[in-house]
Amino acid sequence: MPTFFLPRAADDDQAERLYEALAEFAGCAPAAPGARVRRIAFDADGTRWVAEVGAEVRGERTTSILRRGELVERTETLTDPARVLAIYPGMPHVVVTDAQPITGTASQWANPFSATPAEVELFDPR
């Protein structure tokens, strides 16, 4: 389990300041060190998405089609250029990315966006 970090933070102090600033931007409260979220998996529009701090938002969608009387499953991998900067716990969780308006990166997701997680992984509280 990795220790807490934020992309673009040069050191721990800067990561703390950035975490608080991004929480303010998202309109939510920063989590205590032992409750900081590293990764969530959530379902949206028939796709299982994963938002992980430091990584692009990615998803997998499995569809079934009938081909010559046989059911064939196809799994499609989806990606979004938005890189996750922070995830704040709550119901729902709030995900902040580097997409507009933070940078010029276009994304299919609003920034920030809310998601009700099916899975949650926390940072190591150390």
Side-chain angles (χ1 to χ4, degrees):
M1 185 185 303
T3 57
F4 176 73
F5 79 96
L6 287 186
R8 302 182 179 189
D11 57 40
D12 291 345
D13 289 335
Q14 187 180 28
E16 289 297 327
R17 289 191 305 274
L18 183 57
Y19 187 71
E20 289 182 18
L22 290 172
E24 185 175 327
F25 165 73
C28 60
R36 292 182 179 171
V37 179
R38 177 179 174 265
R39 176 186 158 304
I40 62 170
F42 60 97
D43 297 312
D45 300 323
T47 302
R48 172 58 60 108
W49 290 95
V50 174
E52 182 175 344
V53 173
E56 292 179 346
V57 180
R58 64 191 186 282
E60 276 192 357
R61 176 178 28 222
T62 301
T63 55
S64 300
I65 59 170
L66 194 59
R67 187 176 291 162
R68 292 187 224 154
E70 190 175 321
L71 193 60
V72 178
E73 283 192 349
R74 187 182 97 184
T75 300
E76 180 182 11
T77 300
L78 306 169
T79 59
D80 188 271
R83 188 165 306 277
V84 177
L85 299 178
I87 303 170
Y88 298 93
M91 272 307 156
H93 282 42
V94 177
V95 179
V96 179
T97 69
D98 66 354
Q100 297 173 350
I102 292 178
T103 69
T105 301
S107 173
Q108 71 179 20
W109 300 98
N111 190 25
F113 70 88
S114 299
T116 301
E119 300 171 26
V120 176
E121 183 180 322
L122 301 178
F123 281 104
D124 188 343
R126 288 186 244 166

